[in-house]
Amino acid sequence: MAKRKVIVDDDDDEAIDTLSQHSKRARTIDSDDEVAVDRSRHRNRKPGNGKARQEDSDEDEEDEEDPTQEEHDEEEEQRFEELNGEAIRQRLEQKRNTFGGIAEHGIIESIEMHHFMCHKRLTFAFGPQINFIIGDNAGGKSAVLSAITIALGGKANSTGRGSGLKSFIREGQQISEITISLKNQGEEAYKPKEYGKSIVITRKFTKDGSSSWKIKSKDGKVVSTKRDELSAICDHMNIQVDNPMNVLSQDAARQFLSASHPSDKYKFFLRGTQLSQLSEEYDACLDNINQTKKVLHQKKQVLPDLRATFNEASVRFEEASKAREQRCKVDELKKELAWAHVAAKQTEMEEKLGEVAKAERRLPKIQAEIETAESQVQLASDAVVQFDKEYSALGDIDHLTKQRDDLQERMRGNRVKIGNFKNDEKQMNTSLNSLNDAIRNYTINIAEEERRLAADTQVKRDELNRKLEIARTDVTSADQAHKDFLEAKRQKLAEQDDIKRRGLAAEAKKNSAQERVVAAQSMISQCKEKGQNALAPYGHDIKGVLAQIAKMKWHGDVPVGPLGMHVKLKEMAWADLMRIQLGGLMSAFAVTDARDRPQLKRLLDQTKNFHINIIISERDMFDFSAGEPPNHIPTVLRVLEITDPYVLRLLINQANIERIIVAPKRLDADNILKRMNGGGVAWAADYMRVHRYAEGGGQSIKLHRLPPNDPRNMMFTSSDSASVLSTWQGNLRDAEGECKAAQEEAAQLRQQFQTLTREIDGMNIQERSLFEAHRAAKQELASLQEEAKEEMPADIMGLQTAKDEAEAEKASIIQQFEDVVSRRTTIDQEQTTLLVELNKVKGQIHNFEEARQGIQKKIEDAAASRVKAQSDKNHFIEKLEEENKKVEAIDAIAKQLQEEFINWTAGAEEYCERVENPRKVDVVERTLESVQKALKERERKHGATVEEMTIEVNNAKAVLDSAEKDLKSLAALNNALKRSLVIRLTRWQEFRRHIALRCKVVFQYHLSNRGYFGKILFDHANQSLQLKVQTDDQMATQGRDKDPRSLSGGEKSFSTICLLLSLWDAIGCPLRCLDEFDVFMDAVNRRISMKMMIDTANASDKKQYILITPQDMGNIHVGQTVRVHRMSDPERGQGILAFT
């Protein structure tokens, strides 16, 4: 039956849907819920639909074959099988007794495993064709296939033995390693110069999940460690390690052999033959073609807009061409303007000749100024030398400083001694009071001795003992209470000191915050004033002053000022420093004629600007580059942006801004000046002025900060007054908040301090009470102890002796007290003497400092005068040179003007005839401008000039042509891609038919080895593969095909092995691995299957087989091409129980 023709139309989605339906049928379905798309809609299409739509598009094509026409009736399929099946059978018969060649590359030569699964170490050397691995169950045979999969880059879960690499590491070990050797010979070897005849691949992985590869040559040299190189090797050798048909694991083999569903078998068929991969790639291509079609459709919608833009530009161009008539009048005005410029050039030439004469008259005056400056430099230098000698003659005050420190140390030591003497006096007073009380008690006791002797009884002694015990307890309790109280008082005092310290800190914080509040309020007021009047920082009503200056007449040039209007700061980090050092100059004015100064001064005084200075200086644009330091050294001039050259040179003359260095810190400034080796001055951002003299030595002076309410604080600020005001308002809020918090904290701490003071005063009273109680308890105890002694046989002489001893001790303490008082008096007198000496030394130090500062101030003033005089001298020398150059330059300009006048006259005569008595240049230019303005107004109505509209029309045309060309070329490219995809899909279907037919024939061929008959039923639409098998006994009795589910276990396994061999015959990978293929077979089926597999492997060309079976190979005949590997049981760490 012939294939039907269909039309593939870009504007018709049916053909694209049909292609998509085919692609969906072709790929492997991963879920049972997916259903292939029905084709009935496509089969019912009428051929005329596409042709009707083809007329609407120039880019569409027709008469393409439908690649999805894959339904074939039984007759056609039968003819196809008859045409091709017999040739396949003949080739199978020819290969029956032949042996295939040995592969030169892509087969496994050996494999070695270390600590892999249950194996401590396992090594295999495989044969080039057939390899059987046999061993007992649970002997670790399947680990070989898992190791091959892992070593060649396969996924861990594809082995069915674990979800990750860690599960393959032998129990109790931390690392595992697999080494596999691939054959790499012949003409198609992979990089033979680098790897040689074998490629050795080693994969190592650890328990922590890390994994690495080493890909080495035959001699052990590491060529690569990248996974990409391994993928390239497998692609080159056609090794598909994740393909289930190439490496069929134990679980997959059991499922495939026992309970494989028809759809699962079809999946194996597609994946094993790589047809599913091609199908998925074709799907991606189809999606891209559809997406490109949508984009082209969107681009096609833009073409009408581009055509409309081109038409509109053409209309505007035609209307605007009328403006050319006005250009004739413009040409006439240009002729008059040319002769007006000639007349102006003549006037300029005459003025310049007058300037030459005036400049020559200034030269003698400048020479006199140079001579005056030289004399001032000499006077200043002499003064500096004289003052340096006076400064050196002062010497130093190190001896006075040492003497002051010694006196202060001695006074501190005396104060410590006086404190110790006072403590001794206090203790002596306490001891004297105790002795006086004891003597008084002894006297009383002696008087009462006789009476008490008469009344001595046993009852009285018992009572005395009881009182002694009570007295001892009272003394102990009173002593402990006194100690506890003293500790509590010490803690209170410490707490009071801490609160006092915190209170002082809070007061200081409050005062600082109050100062910040005042400063912020002042700055806010100034910011508001500056927001209304940008000139507010420079003085009162400066705007009005400038207006008056503009109205008044002056002898020289109009005064310039304030100078700060022409000065900006490049980096705000220097703002505070510039305000302090240059703030006064920023509000100054400058005049070029001294006669203008009184008039300007009166104007400033009338507006209460008494503080503003007036500088008298001519407009001398001298070259100051010779006085600048190297470019990498920052100076005041380099951190400022000065817009007026006259103001720049004023600041150079007044403040030497081109020479003064700026630095962040005083030390940085000093280091820069030292490296310059010529002396100089530097300003540091930490408010220091550093001066280094050329003769050696230097000094540093602390700069005074500006008060908060000083108007100079508003200079050198950001141009955005609103942001500055907002910043200061935020600072005010913060400062007020801190002030309020500090006030509250100070009040709270003051209240706590007062409370503690009252508590401590009360504790002092309580302390005295406790001390008296303690002393009374001790006296009571001593009295009772004396009484107890008296109760024993004693006489009055004992009491008298004790009294005498107490009086002697009293006399000794009095003597010691007098000695301590005498020594303290001596130290007090010494302190007075030391204090006088200390004050005298401090006075000498103060006088020395004043004298040194005075001389230092003189040195600074003299040095400044010298610098100023030298600067004036250099200035006048440079000025003389400049004047000479200026005379020469003006003279050259005058000559140039004469030449230009001649050239302009000649040029004007060439341009047009002479225009007599032309108007002035500005009058002609205004007239010309008005005419050109009218011309531009006409052009403005059209939105562009005639030239621009010409360009616009050309651009619109180019854009339209480019868009149409690109759209056409892209549509043609998309159609070409679609035709290519149609061809590829058609060939894909043919590949599938031929591969399916080959599987059918090979399947029947293998079944015949057992005397069976069967066939494979492919249903490509439903994606299923079914087996129909008829055994030899069924052929005689039933005469019909038997469903595999009704077969016995051995018959089913044999049939599935035949299917597997037929599928293997259709794939190109040189490696086939199968695990436990005979698990469900009986002895007969197993013997026939084994022989069939060996014969198939022998007949296969350049293929290697690795087959695993738990059964014995004793009853199987093996040839020279078969290599049997018998495995011993692995070491699993079992032990032997010790029984007694």
Side-chain angles (χ1 to χ4, degrees):
M1 180 179 179
K3 297 182 180 178
R4 291 177 298 149
K5 301 286 186 177
V6 297
I7 298 171
V8 180
D9 190 356
D10 284 341
D11 294 332
D12 187 0
D13 292 338
E14 288 190 22
I16 300 299
D17 292 341
T18 305
L19 294 174
S20 177
Q21 291 168 10
H22 156 71
S23 179
K24 289 180 181 178
R25 290 190 203 98
R27 64 169 175 255
T28 302
I29 298 177
D30 295 331
S31 172
D32 293 338
D33 295 336
E34 295 190 20
V35 180
V37 180
D38 189 8
R39 298 179 183 213
S40 59
R41 181 168 59 87
H42 174 70
R43 285 197 294 266
N44 293 330
R45 280 187 55 203
K46 295 181 178 181
N49 293 340
K51 293 181 179 179
R53 280 188 292 269
Q54 197 270 343
E55 296 176 358
D56 298 333
S57 175
D58 295 335
E59 297 85 7
D60 297 340
E61 298 181 358
E62 58 182 41
D63 292 335
E64 292 187 0
E65 293 185 357
D66 181 9
T68 63
Q69 184 63 32
E70 61 180 4
E71 290 83 358
H72 309 283
D73 54 20
E74 294 182 359
E75 294 180 0
E76 183 178 356
E77 289 294 335
Q78 185 175 1
R79 286 197 300 271
F80 176 78
E81 291 183 4
E82 291 176 354
L83 181 62
N84 299 282
E86 186 60 30
I88 297 173
R89 293 186 185 91
Q90 292 178 1
R91 285 196 296 270
L92 290 175
E93 289 296 333
Q94 293 173 359
K95 291 170 57 178
R96 179 184 293 273
N97 296 321
T98 60
F99 289 88
I102 297 176
E104 294 182 337
H105 71 283
I107 62 174
I108 301 174
E109 294 179 331
S110 65
I111 186 171
E112 183 177 354
M113 295 171 279
H114 294 272
H115 299 300
F116 184 79
M117 297 182 68
C118 61
H119 299 289
K120 181 178 181 181
R121 179 185 178 91
L122 182 63
T123 303
F124 281 115
F126 292 115
Q129 288 182 293
I130 308 171
N131 295 270
F132 283 98
I133 299 176
I134 63 175
D136 297 335
N137 288 327
K141 301 182 300 299
S142 300
V144 179
L145 296 190
S146 299
I148 294 173
T149 302
I150 297 300
L152 295 178
K155 299 178 182 178
N157 53 11
S158 65
T159 64
R161 293 305 180 106
S163 58
L165 292 176
K166 294 186 290 185
S167 59
F168 291 100
I169 299 176
R170 188 167 180 258
E171 185 176 359
Q173 303 298 322
Q174 298 296 320
I175 188 170
S176 181
E177 181 178 293
I178 307 171
T179 300
I180 189 169
S181 177
L182 298 179
K183 191 174 182 180
N184 188 45
Q185 301 177 13
E187 295 181 355
E188 297 184 3
Y190 181 80
K191 297 181 180 179
K193 293 182 179 179
E194 296 181 16
Y195 288 100
K197 295 184 178 181
S198 297
I199 299 177
V200 180
I201 301 168
T202 300
R203 186 174 188 181
K204 183 183 294 184
F205 47 94
T206 62
K207 279 287 186 180
D208 58 5
S210 63
S211 175
S212 63
W213 270 279
K214 286 186 179 179
I215 306 175
K216 299 179 287 187
S217 62
K218 183 176 179 62
D219 56 2
K221 179 183 178 182
V222 177
V223 179
S224 177
T225 58
K226 296 182 179 180
R227 169 68 181 271
D228 295 340
E229 180 71 7
L230 176 61
S231 300
I233 293 172
C234 292
D235 291 341
H236 180 81
M237 297 181 175
N238 200 17
I239 297 175
Q240 306 158 20
V241 70
D242 282 330
N243 190 336
M245 294 299 297
N246 291 337
V247 180
L248 198 61
S249 63
Q250 180 176 339
D251 295 336
R254 289 177 179 176
Q255 181 181 3
F256 183 75
L257 295 174
S258 61
S260 180
H261 192 269
S263 62
D264 296 332
K265 290 183 173 66
Y266 192 82
K267 290 179 185 178
F268 272 88
F269 167 72
L270 289 180
R271 290 183 63 188
T273 57
Q274 292 186 285
L275 290 173
S276 61
Q277 179 180 353
L278 287 175
S279 176
E280 291 169 359
E281 293 175 355
Y282 292 158
D283 281 346
C285 294
L286 183 59
D287 292 339
N288 292 333
I289 292 173
N290 292 335
Q291 187 63 30
T292 305
K293 175 189 170 185
K294 294 179 182 178
V295 173
L296 292 176
H297 182 69
Q298 294 175 356
K299 289 184 176 292
K300 188 186 295 183
Q301 295 175 353
V302 182
L303 290 179
D305 295 336
L306 296 178
R307 293 191 182 97
T309 301
F310 171 68
N311 294 332
E312 182 181 354
S314 300
V315 172
R316 291 174 57 218
F317 172 74
E318 293 175 359
E319 292 179 355
S321 61
K322 299 177 182 179
R324 299 176 181 175
E325 298 175 359
Q326 290 184 342
R327 295 186 181 275
C328 296
K329 187 176 181 180
V330 172
D331 293 338
E332 294 297 328
L333 289 173
K334 287 182 178 179
K335 293 177 181 180
E336 183 180 3
L337 182 62
W339 286 104
H341 279 298
V342 172
K345 180 61 67 175
Q346 182 178 1
T347 303
E348 183 182 0
M349 176 186 66
E350 294 172 353
E351 292 177 352
K352 188 60 65 176
L353 291 173
E355 289 182 9
V356 172
K358 182 179 178 182
E360 289 176 346
R361 292 194 295 269
R362 287 201 298 266
L363 296 178
K365 182 180 178 180
I366 297 174
Q367 184 64 40
E369 294 288 348
I370 292 174
E371 295 173 357
T372 303
E374 287 178 348
S375 63
Q376 291 177 351
V377 168
Q378 185 61 40
L379 291 174
S381 299
D382 295 340
V384 169
V385 172
Q386 180 63 31
F387 292 142
D388 281 338
K389 292 179 180 179
E390 294 179 6
Y391 187 87
S392 301
L394 285 176
D396 55 43
I397 55 171
D398 293 343
H399 64 287
L400 293 177
T401 304
K402 185 176 185 305
Q403 185 178 357
R404 180 193 60 191
D405 296 339
D406 293 340
L407 290 173
Q408 289 176 346
E409 184 64 27
R410 289 174 61 188
M411 290 183 70
R412 282 194 293 270
N414 288 338
R415 283 195 293 271
V416 173
K417 291 179 181 179
I418 291 172
N420 294 334
F421 288 151
K422 288 181 178 180
N423 292 333
D424 294 341
E425 291 175 2
K426 185 175 180 181
Q427 293 177 0
M428 289 178 183
N429 284 329
T430 303
S431 300
L432 284 174
N433 292 332
S434 300
L435 289 173
N436 288 331
D437 293 339
I439 292 170
R440 189 165 48 253
N441 291 331
Y442 287 144
T443 304
I444 295 171
N445 290 336
I446 290 171
E448 295 179 356
E449 176 63 22
E450 293 178 354
R451 294 191 301 274
R452 289 194 301 119
L453 290 174
D456 186 13
T457 61
Q458 183 64 35
V459 175
K460 189 173 182 180
R461 283 195 298 271
D462 294 340
E463 180 65 19
L464 183 60
N465 290 334
R466 186 182 63 80
K467 289 181 179 182
L468 278 171
E469 188 64 28
I470 294 173
R472 291 191 185 96
T473 303
D474 292 342
V475 168
T476 302
S477 300
D479 183 60
Q480 185 63 37
H482 187 250
K483 291 181 180 178
D484 294 342
F485 185 81
L486 289 177
E487 179 62 23
K489 180 181 177 182
R490 186 191 63 76
Q491 294 178 358
K492 285 288 183 181
L493 289 172
E495 184 178 357
Q496 184 186 36
D497 292 340
D498 180 63
I499 291 177
K500 182 178 180 181
R501 178 184 55 77
R502 290 166 54 195
L504 293 175
E507 286 291 338
K509 186 177 181 181
K510 180 191 71 174
N511 296 335
S512 175
Q514 288 176 345
E515 292 177 358
R516 290 170 55 199
V517 168
V518 173
Q521 290 173 344
S522 175
M523 293 305 297
I524 288 172
S525 176
Q526 294 178 15
C527 284
K528 291 180 178 178
E529 185 178 356
K530 185 178 180 181
Q532 299 172 356
N533 180 14
L535 301 175
Y538 305 111
H540 302 286
D541 194 20
I542 298 298
K543 189 175 182 181
V545 172
L546 294 177
Q548 289 294 326
I549 290 174
K551 296 177 181 178
M552 298 170 66
K553 294 183 179 180
W554 307 91
H555 294 89
D557 295 340
V558 177
V560 177
L563 302 185
M565 294 174 56
H566 307 283
V567 181
K568 293 182 181 179
L569 193 60
K570 295 180 181 178
E571 299 179 14
M572 298 308 297
W574 309 105
D576 289 342
L577 184 62
M578 296 299 112
R579 294 185 191 113
I580 295 172
Q581 296 296 86
L582 299 179
L585 281 174
M586 292 300 101
S587 59
F589 281 75
V591 295
T592 58
D593 196 317
R595 292 173 293 177
D596 293 330
R597 186 184 186 283
Q599 183 179 359
L600 179 59
K601 181 62 176 175
R602 285 194 299 273
L603 177 60
L604 294 173
D605 291 344
Q606 289 173 2
T607 54
K608 299 181 181 180
N609 290 302
F610 306 105
H611 67 286
I612 294 180
N613 297 323
I614 300 175
I615 303 171
I616 302 173
S617 177
E618 295 182 357
R619 286 188 174 273
D620 181 12
M621 300 295 109
F622 56 86
D623 183 10
F624 54 85
S625 59
E628 290 187 288
N631 293 331
H632 67 278
I633 297 178
T635 62
V636 177
L637 175 58
R638 290 169 182 167
V639 300
L640 296 177
E641 182 180 347
I642 304 174
T643 57
D644 192 327
Y646 178 53
V647 174
L648 185 147
R649 285 160 177 81
L650 285 174
L651 294 177
I652 288 175
N653 290 331
Q654 296 296 320
N656 297 321
I657 62 173
E658 86 286 10
R659 301 174 183 271
I660 296 178
I661 312 301
V662 293
K665 300 291 184 182
R666 186 204 65 80
L667 183 59
D668 298 334
D670 196 39
N671 291 334
I672 293 174
L673 292 176
K674 288 179 180 179
R675 289 196 298 269
M676 292 175 63
N677 296 326
V681 179
W683 298 345
D686 55 354
Y687 307 101
M688 295 296 294
R689 181 181 184 274
V690 183
H691 191 179
R692 277 278 167 188
Y693 304 109
E695 299 83 4
Q699 62 177 353
S700 299
I701 301 175
K702 184 70 175 178
L703 300 177
H704 298 288
R705 297 194 182 187
L706 299 177
N709 55 354
D710 195 315
R712 287 178 289 177
N713 286 318
M714 291 304 297
M715 297 179 182
F716 299 110
T717 57
S718 173
S719 58
D720 186 3
S721 300
S723 62
V724 176
L725 177 61
S726 176
T727 301
W728 280 108
Q729 287 175 345
N731 293 341
L732 177 60
R733 289 192 297 271
D734 296 340
E736 288 177 345
E738 292 182 9
C739 182
K740 183 177 179 181
Q743 285 178 344
E744 293 176 356
E745 183 181 4
Q748 183 179 3
L749 292 172
R750 190 181 299 108
Q751 183 178 0
Q752 294 178 4
F753 182 79
Q754 293 173 355
T755 302
L756 286 174
T757 302
R758 289 193 295 270
E759 292 179 359
I760 291 172
D761 292 340
M763 294 179 74
N764 289 334
I765 298 173
Q766 188 177 357
E767 180 184 7
R768 288 193 293 273
S769 176
L770 289 173
F771 179 76
E772 289 297 329
H774 182 232
R775 186 180 59 80
K778 289 173 66 177
Q779 289 180 352
E780 179 66 21
L781 177 61
S783 176
L784 292 174
Q785 288 175 345
E786 290 296 330
E787 185 177 353
K789 291 178 181 179
E790 292 171 357
E791 292 300 328
M792 294 185 295
D795 54 4
I796 297 175
M797 291 301 295
L799 294 173
Q800 187 62 41
T801 301
K803 178 180 178 182
D804 294 340
E805 292 176 354
E807 289 177 348
E809 184 178 357
K810 176 181 177 182
S812 175
I813 291 175
I814 291 172
Q815 181 63 34
Q816 292 176 4
F817 183 82
E818 292 175 352
D819 182 60
V820 169
V821 170
S822 174
R823 291 168 63 187
R824 191 183 70 175
T825 303
T826 303
I827 293 176
D828 287 338
Q829 294 175 354
E830 183 181 355
Q831 282 289 85
T832 303
T833 304
L834 292 175
L835 180 60
V836 173
E837 293 179 3
L838 179 62
N839 292 333
K840 180 180 177 181
V841 172
K842 287 183 177 179
Q844 293 174 354
I845 293 174
H846 179 70
N847 295 335
F848 181 85
E849 291 291 342
E850 286 184 348
R852 184 168 63 178
Q853 290 177 1
I855 296 175
Q856 191 172 6
K857 182 67 168 60
K858 292 178 181 179
I859 293 174
E860 292 176 1
D861 294 340
S865 299
R866 181 176 62 183
V867 172
K868 179 67 169 60
Q870 184 65 40
S871 176
D872 292 341
K873 175 185 174 183
N874 296 335
H875 165 65
F876 287 118
I877 292 174
E878 293 173 357
K879 187 173 183 181
L880 180 60
E881 294 176 356
E882 289 291 333
E883 287 297 327
N884 289 326
K885 293 179 181 178
K886 188 181 296 184
V887 170
E888 295 175 358
I890 295 174
D891 186 58
I893 292 173
K895 293 179 180 179
Q896 183 180 358
L897 288 174
Q898 290 176 345
E899 185 178 353
E900 288 180 354
F901 172 71
I902 296 172
N903 294 334
W904 284 25
T905 303
E909 290 175 349
E910 292 178 2
Y911 180 67
C912 62
E913 295 181 357
R914 178 180 291 274
V915 178
E916 298 295 337
N917 299 322
R919 293 173 290 178
K920 292 185 177 181
V921 174
D922 55 347
V923 176
V924 179
E925 285 180 345
R926 284 198 300 271
T927 305
L928 179 60
E929 183 180 358
S930 63
V931 176
Q932 289 177 337
K933 184 176 181 181
L935 181 61
K936 290 181 180 179
E937 181 65 22
R938 177 182 293 273
E939 294 175 346
R940 185 187 62 80
K941 292 180 180 179
H942 298 291
T945 64
V946 177
E947 292 79 4
E948 291 174 346
M949 284 186 283
T950 303
I951 296 173
E952 181 182 0
V953 170
N954 294 333
N955 290 340
K957 176 64 174 172
V959 171
L960 178 61
D961 294 343
S962 176
E964 291 177 344
K965 181 180 178 181
D966 293 344
L967 184 62
K968 186 174 182 180
S969 62
L970 289 175
L973 175 62
N974 202 42
N975 289 330
L977 292 175
K978 187 186 299 181
R979 289 193 299 271
S980 175
L981 182 61
V982 168
I983 295 172
R984 288 177 178 274
L985 290 173
T986 302
R987 291 179 178 175
W988 184 90
Q989 294 173 4
E990 291 300 321
F991 290 159
R992 187 179 60 182
R993 287 184 69 188
H994 282 279
I995 293 173
L997 176 60
R998 185 177 184 85
C999 288
K1000 291 179 182 179
V1001 174
V1002 175
F1003 178 70
Q1004 294 173 355
Y1005 174 78
H1006 288 310
L1007 283 179
S1008 64
N1009 292 326
R1010 183 73 172 86
Y1012 293 173
F1013 175 80
K1015 58 185 175 179
I1016 301 176
L1017 301 180
F1018 283 96
D1019 187 352
H1020 298 300
N1022 296 320
Q1023 298 187 356
S1024 66
L1025 187 156
Q1026 294 184 356
L1027 304 180
K1028 295 296 183 178
V1029 180
Q1030 190 175 36
T1031 61
D1032 48 1
D1033 56 342
Q1034 291 172 346
M1035 294 175 61
T1037 57
Q1038 298 179 3
R1040 63 181 179 86
D1041 296 336
K1042 187 175 182 181
D1043 189 270
R1045 288 177 295 182
S1046 62
L1047 297 173
S1048 65
E1051 293 172 345
K1052 184 187 298 183
S1053 298
F1054 177 76
S1055 301
T1056 311
I1057 288 295
C1058 293
L1059 173 62
L1060 181 61
L1061 292 177
S1062 65
L1063 293 177
W1064 273 355
D1065 189 70
I1067 63 177
C1069 179
L1071 188 65
R1072 283 108 164 86
C1073 300
L1074 181 60
D1075 190 2
E1076 294 196 3
F1077 59 91
D1078 53 353
V1079 66
F1080 299 110
M1081 292 185 182
D1082 53 23
V1084 175
N1085 284 311
R1086 180 172 180 272
R1087 178 177 54 79
I1088 297 175
S1089 297
M1090 294 284 281
K1091 183 178 183 304
M1092 181 176 61
M1093 294 177 72
I1094 293 173
D1095 293 341
T1096 302
N1098 287 331
S1100 299
D1101 186 42
K1102 299 180 180 180
K1103 300 293 187 294
Q1104 182 185 40
Y1105 291 80
I1106 299 175
L1107 308 175
I1108 297 177
T1109 175
Q1111 306 292 336
D1112 189 17
M1113 297 286 292
N1115 57 348
I1116 304 299
H1117 175 72
V1118 296
Q1120 297 179 353
T1121 60
V1122 179
R1123 182 175 297 182
V1124 179
H1125 306 270
R1126 183 177 301 277
M1127 291 182 56
S1128 59
D1129 292 337
E1131 297 179 8
R1132 299 183 182 269
Q1134 296 95 335
I1136 301 175
L1137 296 177
F1139 294 98
T1140 57

